[in-house]
């Protein structure tokens, strides 16, 4: 029964919990602390020292999302060993709402990124250690955003709508940045703008769905790309729900429902990785593609 830090954390304003922790399992971000769940020995001493009741046992209802967040950021933020003065924004963050959403934004609370050591097995049976390098700026000049967009326009991408639902709210976005990662286990990755409300819903629900569009579904692609400013984008197309509650589109080339298993902050986007739990392909349909800044593979109408 590890303990986790929740949104009640008042930005290290006291940090008495750090002082009493016998195993030093706290990690420090700009706006709060987290506990490494695998290092916590469940002694409960820190819980009694927290004046904001921010440290709770993970057995309490609804804390699984905070358990995942504590595990995620304890692998990124630096370990904190002793009590220090509060940060400048401690009073601002005291009682701040929607802290979970804040910490799913790109760069939120990030102080340092740690290299993660892994071991790779070689074909001949040997092994070699390597480390994942943190994302950083290029040492050589990069192409301009315009050059990047012009270069990517020469490629053809499958058009899809990624969506998520939580607490009676559902949101979808047209995307072309998604890809399968592995077959064992079956994983899919999508890229979502970090400023999108959809980031919050995916983080809260721990799920997302993807509908790869078919020819004739150009209007759906346009609407979920923001054209028309419709108050309810889901009024376009035939939508229902997966058993998980995530949105499902009828008539798609391929419909997938995914459980969130990981995420990576990349510049102004967040890469969400999902385990594919449901899959419905329609071999009778053809893919709607995007290339040279326009749809290709349009449905021919006589």
């Amino acid at each position: 029964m590890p303990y986790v830090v929740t949104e009640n954390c008042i930005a290290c304003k006291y940090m008495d919990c750090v002082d009493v922790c016998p195993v030093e399992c706290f990690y420090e971000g700009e706006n709060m602390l987290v506990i490494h769940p695998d290092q916590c020995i469940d002694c409960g001493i820190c819980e009694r020292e927290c004046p904001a009741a921010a440290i709770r046992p993970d057995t309490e209802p609804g804390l699984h999302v905070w358990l995942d967040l504590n595990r995620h950021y304890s692998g990124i933020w630096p370990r904190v060993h002793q009590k220090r003065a509060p940060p400048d924004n401690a009073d601002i963050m005291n009682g701040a709402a929607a802290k979970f959403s804040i910490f799913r934004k790109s760069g939120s609370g990030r102080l340092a990124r740690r290299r993660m050591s892994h071991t790779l097995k070689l074909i001949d049976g040997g092994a070699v250690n390597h480390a994942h390098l943190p994302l950083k700026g290029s040492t050589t000049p990069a192409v301009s955003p315009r050059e990047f967009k012009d270069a990517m326009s020469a490629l053809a991408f499958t058009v899809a709508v990624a969506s998520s639902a939580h607490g009676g709210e559902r949101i979808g976005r047209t995307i072309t940045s998604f890809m399968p990662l592995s077959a064992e286990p079956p994983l899919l990755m999508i890229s979502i703008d970090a400023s999108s409300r959809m980031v919050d819903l995916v983080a809260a629900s721990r799920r997302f769905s993807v509908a790869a569009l078919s020819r004739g579904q150009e209007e759906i692609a346009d609407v979920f790309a923001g054209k028309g400013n419709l108050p309810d984008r889901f009024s376009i197309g035939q939508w229902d729900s997966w058993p998980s509650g995530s949105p499902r589109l009828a008539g798609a080339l391929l419909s997938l429902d995914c459980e969130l298993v990981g995420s990576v902050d990349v510049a102004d986007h967040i890469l969400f990785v999902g385990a594919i739990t449901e899959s419905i392909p329609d071999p009778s349909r053809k893919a709607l593609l995007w290339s040279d800044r326009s749809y290709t593979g349009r449905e021919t109408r006589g």
Side-chain angles (χ1 to χ4, degrees):
M1 183 191 71
Y3 286 79
V4 299
V5 181
T6 67
E7 60 189 346
N8 290 333
C9 182
I10 54 178
C12 322
K13 192 171 183 178
Y14 298 96
M15 291 180 65
D16 292 325
C17 53
V18 173
D19 265 359
V20 300
C21 179
V23 293
E24 298 180 343
C25 63
F26 281 90
Y27 293 77
E28 182 182 19
E30 289 178 347
N31 296 317
M32 69 180 294
L33 301 174
V34 292
I35 294 173
H36 195 308
D38 299 328
Q39 295 171 357
C40 177
I41 60 173
D42 312 338
C43 64
I45 299 175
C46 60
E47 181 185 20
R48 296 191 293 269
E49 296 296 328
C50 179
I55 301 174
R56 313 302 304 164
D58 75 328
T59 52
E60 292 188 3
L63 289 189
H64 64 283
V65 292
W66 282 101
L67 178 65
D68 291 343
L69 188 145
N70 275 240
R71 177 173 283 109
H72 172 73
Y73 280 104
S74 62
I76 295 176
W77 293 344
R79 178 178 278 176
V80 56
H81 302 279
Q82 59 186 7
K83 180 176 180 177
R84 289 198 295 273
D88 294 338
N89 66 343
D91 289 333
I92 297 175
M93 292 304 295
N94 187 0
K99 207 179 256 190
F100 185 89
S101 299
I102 294 172
F103 278 86
R104 298 312 302 178
K105 298 297 185 185
S106 178
S108 294
R110 183 167 54 213
L111 292 181
R113 186 179 292 273
R114 174 173 308 163
R115 294 187 178 189
M116 299 173 61
S117 297
H118 292 264
T119 299
L120 291 179
K121 292 184 178 179
L122 302 179
I123 295 177
D124 61 6
V128 61
N129 289 326
H130 79 290
H132 287 305
L133 296 177
L135 292 171
K136 58 182 181 180
S138 174
T139 58
T140 55
V143 299
S144 67
R146 172 53 58 187
E147 290 175 305
F148 171 79
K149 292 177 181 179
D150 288 345
M152 294 302 103
S153 70
L155 302 177
F157 299 92
T158 300
V159 183
V161 172
S163 55
S164 187
H166 180 72
E169 181 182 1
R170 58 180 182 175
I171 287 182
R173 293 177 62 92
T174 298
I175 62 171
T176 55
S177 298
F178 69 103
M179 62 176 291
L181 291 181
S182 69
E184 295 183 7
L187 299 177
L188 181 79
M189 182 179 71
I190 63 174
S191 177
I192 302 296
D193 189 310
S195 65
S196 170
R197 171 64 174 162
M198 183 173 169
V199 169
D200 302 332
L201 265 64
V202 173
S205 67
R206 317 301 291 175
R207 305 199 67 89
F208 63 86
S209 58
V210 174
L213 302 184
S214 61
R215 297 181 188 179
Q217 293 184 318
E218 293 88 347
E219 183 183 11
I220 296 174
D222 285 344
V223 166
F224 281 88
K227 294 183 180 180
N229 294 319
L230 292 181
D232 180 14
R233 297 180 179 183
F234 290 93
S235 64
I236 304 300
Q238 299 179 22
W239 291 89
D240 56 16
S241 300
W242 291 98
S244 67
S246 296
R248 177 174 58 186
L249 174 65
L253 172 75
L254 173 64
S255 296
L256 301 168
D257 191 27
C258 301
E259 178 184 342
L260 182 67
V261 296
S263 63
V264 180
D265 292 357
V266 181
D268 57 356
H269 279 65
I270 295 182
L271 305 182
F272 288 115
V273 178
I276 301 173
T277 58
E278 301 273 3
S279 174
I280 301 179
D282 188 342
S284 68
R285 299 183 183 275
K286 302 296 183 182
L288 179 64
L289 304 177
W290 181 262
S291 181
D292 196 21
R293 298 182 172 88
S294 64
Y295 296 117
T296 64
R298 285 180 177 272
E299 191 71 56
T300 303
R301 301 185 187 279

